[in-house]
RNA sequence: GGUGAGAUGGCAGAAUGGUUAUGCGUGGGCCUGCAAAGCCUAUUUAUAAGGGUUCAAUUCCCUUUCUCACCUCCA
């Protein structure tokens, strides 16, 4: 029996914290839908998808809320450029988001709240902040006063005094201190909403505090997002929420490392953004998933042209072993049962790795070791039927947790394939190679390719 | 300048106070109608440099060098 004792590193306390064993609620900062998603987004989303799948496999009840920031300068700019509305822009890219991530076999979040659907909640929240005297009104908008929240900087480990010396932010006469941030901006051009303080639109950070507290219990388990959100976004979320509610927003702040391109930051200005749809045209979604979990989630990934090729090789290895097991017909039922010990060892390593701050890399390597052993036994033809059945079910569990998808082959299809392979085998034994190749072609037309080994033939679905 | 994270074999990338990570690549072998792959085996002093603690350090501590991230919107 495997004990579920999952620890996740918390950015705030800088320690690993235990997760609740029964119920885990996650608020994940989603995307701003002003353009297509890139591989950086996919990493964060996939990491949390695998985490969710893993927890669910351990009978933990998971709830994920993932927002869409559908009002933002970039969306507005795009809508102006296109002479359309922010809703047209955001709806289009939300559609694209789902198109891409459905292909990646990412489970849907339980909710996808949008900022524009929560304007009233946002206004109410800001009102409370004003009443608590931590926000103030200027002629440009409503601002949060970071000096009123004396723990400001605790997440990103920033010292406010030093921060205020910073030269990166120009001192703005509108605000009390340069790092005060807008809760509500007064504007006269659409999109605008009425508020008690004047027409305008919400600031960037307020929606997440509002929606996470609306849909999840106080001090929910995990608040997640990319590393680059730590400051200022998550820092500000904490400030807003905690100065209003006097209770911690989330128990664990979990941050996923960024993807770099040739050791530099991926950014629009450098023109090196790699869009997900472009990768999806070239690579199997399983390969993209494998790429994303092949480095520990907390570390940056340095992407280069080989990255996906390497993930592809790894995936092919796993897939091949799966099909070898599926193709196996010559069971050696005189042999000892080997699989129980193998699976037992693998299971322990696999769970230990994931339980210890979600080390997918180590979990993956334990699976690859299992694959290696199975390949060895397959090659010497020493697996029993029980071994093969158990191995296949281990593969399926593994696929389910990591979200890998393999086309299903029906029972009837399998029978047909096996009978054709048998037919071809006899033809080959009689050196009727032309006819044998015709059978192979017939299978090829069914999208089945064959691999002849010393003592067996393996089929594989393309 | 501040804060944080790093520096592991040819490459990617884990872990660890004492034991082979794993994958790729490379050499050799087996197998082989074709095709493709697989299996076996070998492979390099692998832990940035210097010092300290210790019976023992790649792992802990100190110093140095270097890299990256955040400090402006960013997953």
């Amino acid at each position: 029996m495997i004990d579920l004792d999952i620890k996740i590193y918390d950015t705030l306390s800088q320690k690993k914290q235990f997760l609740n064993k029964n119920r885990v609620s996650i608020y994940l900062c989603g995307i701003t839908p002003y353009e297509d998603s890139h591989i950086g987004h996919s990493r964060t989303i996939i990491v949390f998808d695998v985490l969710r799948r893993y927890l669910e496999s351990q009978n933990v009840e998971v709830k994920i809320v993932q927002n869409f920031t559908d009002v933002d300068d970039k969306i507005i700019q795009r809508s102006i450029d296109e002479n359309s509305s922010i809703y047209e822009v955001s709806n289009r890219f939300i559609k694209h988001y789902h198109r891409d991530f459905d292909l990646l076999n990412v489970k849907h979040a339980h909710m996808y709240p949008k900022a524009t659907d929560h304007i009233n909640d946002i206004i109410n929240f800001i009102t409370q902040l004003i009443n608590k005297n931590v926000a103030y009104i200027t002629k440009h908008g409503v601002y949060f006063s970071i000096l009123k929240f004396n723990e400001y900087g605790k997440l990103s480990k920033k010292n406010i005094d030093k921060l205020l010396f910073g030269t990166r932010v120009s001192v703005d006469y509108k605000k009390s201190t340069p790092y005060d941030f807008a809760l509500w901006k007064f504007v006269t051009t659409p999109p605008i909403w009425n508020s008690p303080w004047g027409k305008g639109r919400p600031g960037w950070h307020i929606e997440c505090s509002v929606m996470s507290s609306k849909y999840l219990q106080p001090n929910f388990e995990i608040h997640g997002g990319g590393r680059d959100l730590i400051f200022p976004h998550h820092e500000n979320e904490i400030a807003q929420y905690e100065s209003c509610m006097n209770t911690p927003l989330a128990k664990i702040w979990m941050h996923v490392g960024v993807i770099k391109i040739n050791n530099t930051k991926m950014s629009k200005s450098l023109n090196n953004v790699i869009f997900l749809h472009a990768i999806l045209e070239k690579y199997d979604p399983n390969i993209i998933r494998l790429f994303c979990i092949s480095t520990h989630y907390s570390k940056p990934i340095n992407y280069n042209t080989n990255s996906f090729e390497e993930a592809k090789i790894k995936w092919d290895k796993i897939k091949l072993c799966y099909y070898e097991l599926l193709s196996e017909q010559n069971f050696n039922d005189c042999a000892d049962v080997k699989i129980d010990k193998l699976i037992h060892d693998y299971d322990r390593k696999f769970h230990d790795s994931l339980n210890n701050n979600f080390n997918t890399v180590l979990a993956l390597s334990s699976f690859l070791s299992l694959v290696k052993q199975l390949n060895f036994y397959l090659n010497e033809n020493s697996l029993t039927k029980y071994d093969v059945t158990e191995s296949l079910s281990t593969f399926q569990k593994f696929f389910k947790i990591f979200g890998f998808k393999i086309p299903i082959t029906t029972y009837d299809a399998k029978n047909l394939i096996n009978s054709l392979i048998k037919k071809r085998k006899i033809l080959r034994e009689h050196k009727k190679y032309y006819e044998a190749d015709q059978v192979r072609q017939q299978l090829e037309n069914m999208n089945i390719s064959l691999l002849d080994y010393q003592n067996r033939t393996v089929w594989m679905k393309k």
Side-chain angles (χ1 to χ4, degrees):
Chain A
M1 193 60 197
I2 291 144
D3 190 31
L4 181 66
D5 248 359
I6 304 177
K7 286 179 287 183
I8 297 286
Y9 181 84
D10 167 38
T11 308
L12 181 59
S13 63
Q14 296 175 291
K15 283 182 187 135
K16 291 175 192 170
Q17 305 282 3
F18 286 102
L19 278 185
N20 187 298
K21 297 186 182 195
N22 304 313
R23 210 167 287 117
V24 168
S25 294
I26 301 174
Y27 185 87
L28 179 59
C29 282
I31 59 155
T32 302
Y34 71 100
E35 65 173 14
D36 285 327
S37 299
H38 53 65
I39 56 169
H41 296 122
S42 71
R43 183 183 186 194
T44 304
I45 302 295
I46 286 169
V47 163
F48 279 93
D49 183 56
V50 177
L51 177 63
R52 177 230 187 122
R53 287 166 176 274
Y54 179 58
L55 293 172
E56 285 175 345
S57 78
Q58 304 302 309
N59 298 319
V60 179
E61 194 186 308
V62 181
K63 179 177 181 185
I64 297 191
V65 176
Q66 182 186 330
N67 71 302
F68 283 117
T69 305
D70 65 343
V71 51
D72 164 88
D73 286 352
K74 282 178 182 148
I75 296 176
I76 293 166
Q77 188 54 49
R78 182 137 193 165
S79 70
I80 292 167
D81 293 345
E82 294 181 356
N83 196 22
S84 62
S85 76
I86 60 161
Y87 300 103
E88 281 171 33
V89 171
S90 62
N91 285 335
R92 182 163 81 246
F93 288 109
I94 287 172
K95 216 176 269 174
H96 288 192
Y97 171 90
H98 283 123
R99 173 197 69 194
D100 294 343
F101 284 90
D102 284 352
L103 276 174
L104 281 172
N105 198 27
V106 169
K107 284 189 169 189
H108 280 212
H110 300 87
M111 296 189 78
Y112 290 103
K114 296 182 200 169
T116 56
D117 289 335
H118 296 80
I119 300 295
N120 282 336
D121 298 308
I122 289 171
I123 288 170
N124 289 338
F125 203 99
I126 296 173
T127 305
Q128 288 184 65
L129 289 172
I130 293 172
N131 292 342
K132 298 241 171 187
N133 202 30
V134 295
Y136 58 93
I137 304 164
T138 74
K139 66 175 177 178
H140 295 95
V142 182
Y143 290 88
F144 184 93
S145 176
I146 62 161
L147 295 176
K148 294 279 174 65
F149 181 63
N150 56 23
E151 290 180 291
Y152 192 79
K154 69 176 176 179
L155 180 72
S156 56
K157 319 297 171 204
K158 293 193 187 307
N159 179 315
I160 297 179
D161 295 334
K162 284 179 180 157
L163 204 56
L164 293 176
F165 277 115
T167 52
R168 300 284 294 270
V169 173
S170 58
V171 177
D172 188 333
Y173 67 95
K174 298 178 288 196
K175 299 189 267 185
S176 301
T177 69
Y179 280 92
D180 286 354
F181 53 92
L183 299 167
W184 189 265
K185 294 175 174 178
F186 297 145
V187 289
T188 51
T189 52
I192 48 174
W193 290 269
N194 286 317
S195 84
W197 323 286
K199 286 178 194 261
R201 59 184 167 84
W204 283 319
H205 310 294
I206 191 71
E207 52 151 332
C208 283
S209 296
V210 169
M211 297 191 291
S212 59
S213 57
K214 177 163 181 172
Y215 296 114
L216 298 174
Q217 296 295 312
N219 202 16
F220 56 85
E221 290 290 310
I222 300 177
H223 192 125
R227 273 211 107 68
D228 45 359
L229 291 183
I230 295 173
F231 190 90
H233 184 60
H234 288 163
E235 191 70 60
N236 291 353
E237 267 190 66
I238 289 176
Q240 289 163 156
Y241 181 85
E242 293 188 7
S243 56
C244 189
M245 307 299 186
N246 295 316
T247 158
L249 176 55
K251 198 168 126 191
I252 294 171
W253 290 82
M254 179 173 169
H255 292 104
V256 179
V258 296
I259 292 184
K260 295 185 291 177
I261 311 291
N262 293 325
N263 220 28
T264 54
K265 186 174 152 173
M266 185 166 67
S267 78
K268 274 192 111 178
S269 53
L270 291 169
N271 204 25
N272 62 359
V273 175
I274 297 176
F275 289 106
L276 204 42
H277 60 78
I279 298 292
L280 279 164
E281 279 169 24
K282 279 181 72 180
Y283 291 100
D284 184 328
N286 295 314
I287 292 168
I288 300 172
R289 293 187 71 104
L290 195 55
F291 165 78
C292 289
I293 58 168
S294 289
T295 303
H296 191 265
Y297 77 84
S298 66
K299 291 199 173 177
I301 296 181
N302 186 25
Y303 169 89
N304 60 51
T305 45
N306 283 329
S307 301
F308 284 112
E309 288 302 325
E310 282 171 20
K312 182 181 185 309
I313 290 168
K314 243 182 236 180
W315 171 246
D316 287 346
K317 203 181 176 73
I318 292 168
K319 188 170 77 170
L320 178 65
C321 185
Y322 175 75
Y323 276 107
E324 290 203 29
L325 291 163
L326 213 53
S327 305
E328 186 65 16
Q329 296 292 306
N330 310 316
F331 306 108
N332 186 340
D333 285 319
C334 303
D336 295 335
V337 167
K338 301 177 175 63
I339 203 66
D340 288 342
K341 185 183 180 326
L342 270 184
I343 290 181
H344 180 263
D345 289 351
Y346 150 76
D347 253 358
R348 239 191 57 201
K349 280 187 207 156
F350 186 82
H351 288 93
D352 283 351
S353 307
L354 291 179
N355 291 353
N356 186 10
N357 196 19
F358 199 50
N359 194 329
T360 52
V361 190
L362 207 50
L364 187 61
S365 85
S366 69
F367 189 77
L368 287 168
S369 300
L370 176 69
V371 167
K372 192 177 178 166
Q373 269 303 311
L374 288 172
N375 280 337
F376 176 79
Y377 290 137
L378 282 161
N379 201 56
E380 66 171 27
N381 192 28
S382 68
L383 291 179
T384 64
K385 184 163 190 175
Y386 173 81
D387 286 332
V388 171
T389 311
E390 289 298 302
S391 303
L392 281 169
S393 97
T394 303
F395 265 76
Q396 263 137 16
K397 276 187 245 167
F398 170 81
F399 287 161
K400 197 171 175 194
I401 289 172
F402 280 171
F404 296 134
K405 217 166 149 184
I406 280 212
I408 293 164
T409 313
T410 62
Y411 182 76
D412 289 346
K414 267 184 231 169
N415 281 343
L416 176 59
I417 292 163
N418 284 332
S419 70
L420 286 170
I421 287 175
K422 217 172 269 175
K423 184 175 163 191
R424 175 167 170 272
K425 185 179 177 225
I426 294 165
L427 289 168
R428 290 176 72 214
E429 279 164 3
H430 291 84
K431 298 200 186 318
K432 294 185 173 172
Y433 295 123
Y434 177 77
E435 291 86 342
D437 287 349
Q438 278 185 323
V439 176
R440 179 158 63 188
Q441 187 56 48
Q442 189 183 347
L443 284 157
E444 200 72 28
N445 295 342
M446 295 161 60
N447 266 331
I448 303 291
S449 24
L450 299 184
L451 311 160
D452 292 327
Y453 291 171
Q454 197 170 356
N455 46 10
R456 65 214 157 96
T457 295
V458 171
W459 61 268
M460 192 190 272
K461 208 158 187 170
K462 282 183 191 164

